[in-house]
Amino acid sequence: MTTAIPRTGSAGAGSKPFYSSFGFQVLAAMAIGLVLGWIARNMGQVAPGQPNWLAVTLATTGSIFVQLLQALVPPLIFTAIVASISNLRQLSNAAALVWQTLLWFAITAFIAVLIGIALGLIIQPGINAGVAAASAKAPGSVGSWLDFLKGLVPANMFGLQATTQVSGSGATTRLGFNVLQLLVISIVVGVAALKVGERANSFLALNESFLAIVRKVLWWVIRLTPIGTIGLLGNAVAQYGWQTLEQLSWYAFAVYLGLAIVLLVVYPALLILHGLSPVRFFAGAWPAIQLAFVSRSSIGTLPVTEAVTEKSLGVPREYAAFAVPLGATTKMDGCAAIYPAISAIFVAQFYSVPLGIQEYVLIAFVSVIGSAATAGLTGATVMLTLTLSTLGLPLAGVGLLLAIDPILDMGRTAVNVAGQALVPTLVAKRQGMLDQAQYDRAGDIEAIDATPRAA
């Protein structure tokens, strides 16, 4: 039996001070982060390569917050996927949920890549670029279809992988989780538990208890979002600034325009077609969208995305716990649709390589089918190199775009996460499973408790 956190002030909206609202706190944190980031950038460095104390403080604060979120990702994915698979047997439309989720992933990605191609042809960012070809260099890592296929097969039972970086001071090895492999492991374990039958009841009960604990810790971390936002956004401004946008301004404009069209036109249109209020959707999904923007990590935002999709948007726990982790690894309208489409056209225009209908079809194919190749690898850079290598375009063109990649990545990740919350909401509505009353009051952060709703 679980108890939700009461919504203070729900009886009378005016009884709750505006400054105690979570949304106001996050907006205030973003403003504070921008100001502190600007101050830190203008303070300069203590010595070459040594940032000042304010920049270090902002970077450390943001890094700790992201680490807290990432620490919750492995147990949340495993327990949530296993629990959702065991709970899906109680739903008569489980098969329909799976195929409709994948279908809407593909539909929204296809729409996004068409927008990206259209903007690339209209704005022609490669022709209007003010960057020299001498700055082009081959990327350090290149995506391939073989990497994607190999990434599906778990190397160990925990989805652990080691990454080694070599620098002037030596080699550093870090352990991390391959999210795609962890997703595969969780699905296999969940299906196996169903096949075992009654003998797996104790395991499933333990898994449910562990999931409830993880969600409670998640709630505590969500409440730290304003503090994390100050550090993450402030560090982004202090580290990158906006000067680097000048040479590639048309390219950056095309990418952000495409992201804005998908986020503010396509998504609201789909919601309206399904009889849902776009205002309520964005109010409910806002904690995940803004965290994705400042953290630049769909995986790091996963715990918050899963929480708002279920607790604020009204998607049933049994389905949200399956669809959102799946979307976090394969649903990337920003990184895997808009961005590679515009970037590929930029590279082709920059090197005067003509593209025909066949090449544009390949861009759409790679974007819709190959987005999962970014999971557990190097994000949008892998997706871009995969697209360029499929088209036969110069991979050195990636080097032209890396200078402003962190700035673009903020917008890309925000759109990714918005789509990861959107599709489960649409599918739940189509299947008659959406809690409409919960959706209609979306945006009340107090509704996002870390414990599951009582059945």
Side-chain angles (χ1 to χ4, degrees):
M1 190 71 180
T2 59
T3 303
I5 295 177
R7 300 183 184 85
T8 57
S10 58
S15 62
K16 185 176 181 179
F18 74 94
Y19 53 81
S20 66
S21 165
F22 183 81
F24 175 82
Q25 292 171 3
V26 171
L27 287 174
M30 294 181 72
I32 294 172
L34 287 171
V35 172
L36 292 180
W38 179 82
I39 294 174
R41 186 168 183 83
N42 284 275
M43 287 173 62
Q45 296 182 336
V46 177
Q50 184 178 352
N52 59 69
W53 68 268
L54 180 56
V56 171
T57 301
L58 292 171
T60 303
T61 302
S63 176
I64 290 175
F65 180 64
V66 172
Q67 286 180 355
L68 288 174
L69 287 172
Q70 291 177 336
L72 289 171
V73 168
L76 178 65
I77 288 181
F78 182 83
T79 56
I81 291 292
V82 171
S84 65
I85 290 178
S86 65
N87 290 329
L88 282 177
R89 61 183 174 180
Q90 304 172 9
L91 303 174
S92 59
N93 58 344
L97 288 173
V98 173
W99 80 260
Q100 283 206 28
T101 300
L102 297 177
L103 176 64
W104 279 98
F105 280 179
I107 290 174
T108 50
F110 183 67
I111 295 173
V113 75
L114 289 181
I115 293 173
I117 292 174
L119 291 176
L121 294 176
I122 294 171
I123 298 177
Q124 298 185 324
I127 296 176
N128 298 315
V131 63
S135 61
K137 60 181 180 178
S141 59
V142 178
S144 70
W145 294 103
L146 181 60
D147 290 332
F148 169 56
L149 294 176
K150 290 169 59 178
L152 284 172
V153 182
N156 53 74
M157 188 59 192
F158 303 101
L160 284 170
Q161 64 178 11
T163 304
T164 302
Q165 292 183 340
V166 181
S167 61
S169 58
T172 303
T173 301
R174 299 176 59 185
L175 287 177
F177 287 91
N178 185 307
V179 178
L180 189 58
Q181 292 183 7
L182 188 60
L183 185 67
V184 172
I185 293 170
S186 304
I187 293 174
V188 171
V189 171
V191 173
L194 290 183
K195 295 297 183 181
V196 169
E198 293 184 0
R199 289 176 293 174
N201 287 344
S202 298
F203 166 75
L204 293 176
L206 175 63
N207 182 77
E208 284 280 358
S209 298
F210 190 27
L211 174 59
I213 294 172
V214 171
R215 290 170 63 88
K216 176 58 70 176
V217 177
L218 165 63
W219 170 246
W220 295 339
V221 175
I222 289 176
R223 298 302 301 179
L224 297 176
T225 297
I227 298 175
T229 297
I230 293 175
L232 290 166
L233 193 56
N235 178 60
V237 174
Q239 187 173 357
Y240 303 109
W242 303 105
Q243 293 90 339
T244 51
L245 283 171
E246 294 179 3
Q247 292 182 317
L248 295 169
S249 57
W250 282 106
Y251 166 72
F253 171 73
V255 172
Y256 264 97
L257 178 60
L259 295 173
I261 292 173
V262 171
L263 183 65
L264 303 177
V265 178
V266 175
Y267 288 173
L270 292 175
L271 288 165
I272 292 173
L273 288 175
H274 286 80
L276 297 172
S277 166
V279 174
R280 298 266 48 92
F281 171 80
F282 285 110
W286 167 248
I289 294 173
Q290 69 84 26
L291 177 58
F293 182 83
V294 296
S295 69
R296 298 168 45 207
S297 173
S298 294
I299 298 302
T301 311
L302 171 60
V304 182
T305 310
E306 196 272 340
V308 299
T309 302
E310 175 193 341
K311 293 296 182 178
S312 194
L313 298 178
V315 177
R317 173 169 56 95
E318 297 82 1
Y319 172 52
F322 176 82
V324 176
L326 180 64
T329 59
T330 60
K331 177 58 182 168
M332 301 183 183
D333 289 342
C335 289
I338 290 289
Y339 174 72
I342 295 177
S343 300
I345 294 175
F346 170 92
V347 172
Q349 292 172 347
F350 188 84
Y351 288 101
S352 300
V353 178
L355 298 179
I357 296 298
Q358 178 180 349
E359 284 74 24
Y360 295 124
V361 171
L362 279 176
I363 291 176
F365 173 80
V366 174
S367 299
V368 174
I369 305 298
S371 60
T374 62
L377 298 174
T378 333
T381 301
V382 169
M383 189 63 198
L384 176 56
T385 56
L386 178 63
T387 304
L388 295 181
S389 60
T390 301
L391 295 173
L393 293 173
L395 291 177
V398 177
L400 298 169
L401 311 177
L402 291 179
I404 63 171
D405 188 72
I407 297 174
L408 300 180
D409 198 27
M410 293 187 288
R412 291 192 311 241
T413 310
V415 172
N416 290 345
V417 168
Q420 292 158 18
L422 174 83
V423 170
T425 303
L426 296 181
V427 173
K429 176 67 174 180
R430 295 174 67 87
Q431 292 293 309
M433 300 168 53
L434 190 70
D435 186 340
Q436 191 68 50
Q438 180 67 54
Y439 184 92
D440 289 340
R441 61 175 180 266
D444 182 1
I445 190 64
E446 303 300 337
I448 309 176
D449 186 13
T451 53
R453 286 193 296 256

